[in-house]
Amino acid sequence: MYSTLQSYIDDLDNLVNEIPDQRKQKLAKIADYIRSKEPAKLNFICTHNSRRSHLCQIWAATLAEYFGVESVETYSGGTEATAFNSRAVAAIERAGFKVENPGGENPKYEVSFDDESKPLICFSKTFDDSHNPEKDFAAIMTCSDADANCPIVPGAEKRFSIPYVDPKESDGTSKEKETYDERCRQIASEMYYMMSQV
């Protein structure tokens, strides 16, 4: 792990106690699913695949590596495609990830947690895009809108709901950076707890 990212992750253990018991129960059920599958394919889904679903995909992959959880594949998608939001990208860079931006309207960012592992390719797409699994995966709903609008995710063998408040609500305000960093840290701490339970 990059040193800044390693320090960030080391601090997450202190945040686990702040996770409500109800959330821990939901995360533990996903951990049970991961233990039961080889490989465990996790597709994190929100409306635009621009913020929360990407943060979950990136942190789940990173913390699976951190805890030595093998055979986990992480994906993300939306009910529609836009772009991986630059504010969310900046938040993961502040956390210590290395991000390469090739440019374009919907860039295929390369996100790395170390120099040895293959980077995660992160760009906005629908949950049924060809880059995502077609079957035998868990659909993990990360926003209430996607949860309500996708009662059935074709091909998913399991469906979980762990909605997060959209950091988009702070866009263009003085609280923008703080809100994105808070959501990044919340998602990181919950993915940390989830992978620690596998």
Side-chain angles (χ1 to χ4, degrees):
M1 298 279 169
Y2 298 123
S3 59
T4 302
L5 182 58
Q6 181 69 55
S7 296
Y8 189 103
I9 292 171
D10 289 344
D11 288 339
L12 294 177
D13 195 48
N14 299 322
L15 299 177
V16 167
N17 289 334
E18 297 177 15
I19 303 172
D21 287 343
Q22 188 177 15
R23 296 282 294 182
K24 284 183 176 178
Q25 290 169 13
K26 291 181 177 183
L27 295 164
K29 287 180 180 177
I30 303 173
D32 289 343
Y33 173 82
I34 294 170
R35 277 196 304 275
S36 74
K37 301 295 292 185
E38 197 170 317
K41 300 176 184 179
L42 311 178
N43 192 359
F44 295 93
I45 300 170
C46 66
T47 303
H48 298 114
N49 190 210
S50 60
R51 296 168 176 81
R52 293 162 287 179
S53 51
H54 279 298
L55 293 176
C56 287
Q57 175 193 3
I58 292 164
W59 279 116
T62 303
L63 292 163
E65 176 73 15
Y66 177 81
F67 283 107
V69 179
E70 298 179 0
S71 298
V72 172
E73 299 173 9
T74 66
Y75 304 88
S76 67
T79 54
E80 56 187 273
T82 52
F84 187 6
N85 189 271
S86 59
R87 299 168 184 88
V89 173
I92 62 167
E93 287 181 309
R94 287 191 294 273
F97 289 94
K98 180 180 173 184
V99 181
E100 296 290 334
N101 179 359
E105 192 171 311
N106 181 11
K108 291 187 176 181
Y109 292 93
E110 294 185 7
V111 179
S112 302
F113 49 77
D114 64 29
D115 287 329
E116 277 68 59
S117 304
K118 190 176 176 182
L120 295 163
I121 306 301
C122 299
F123 65 101
S124 185
K125 59 205 161 301
T126 56
F127 63 82
D128 56 355
D129 185 89
S130 61
H131 286 83
N132 290 336
E134 294 181 4
K135 61 180 182 176
D136 301 328
F137 65 93
I140 304 175
M141 317 308 284
T142 64
C143 82
S144 53
D145 285 347
D147 195 21
N149 293 327
C150 290
I152 297 173
V153 177
E157 61 179 358
K158 286 281 186 180
R159 187 178 185 281
F160 302 96
S161 179
I162 52 167
Y164 295 95
V165 175
D166 194 349
K168 181 181 180 179
E169 65 183 9
S170 70
D171 286 5
T173 73
S174 61
K175 297 274 191 181
E176 183 178 281
K177 180 179 174 184
E178 177 185 345
T179 301
Y180 276 84
D181 286 348
E182 283 177 358
R183 193 64 61 245
C184 183
R185 194 170 295 277
Q186 178 194 10
I187 289 172
S189 66
E190 294 196 359
M191 295 300 104
Y192 179 99
Y193 175 79
M194 183 178 80
M195 290 302 173
S196 76
Q197 300 300 299
V198 175

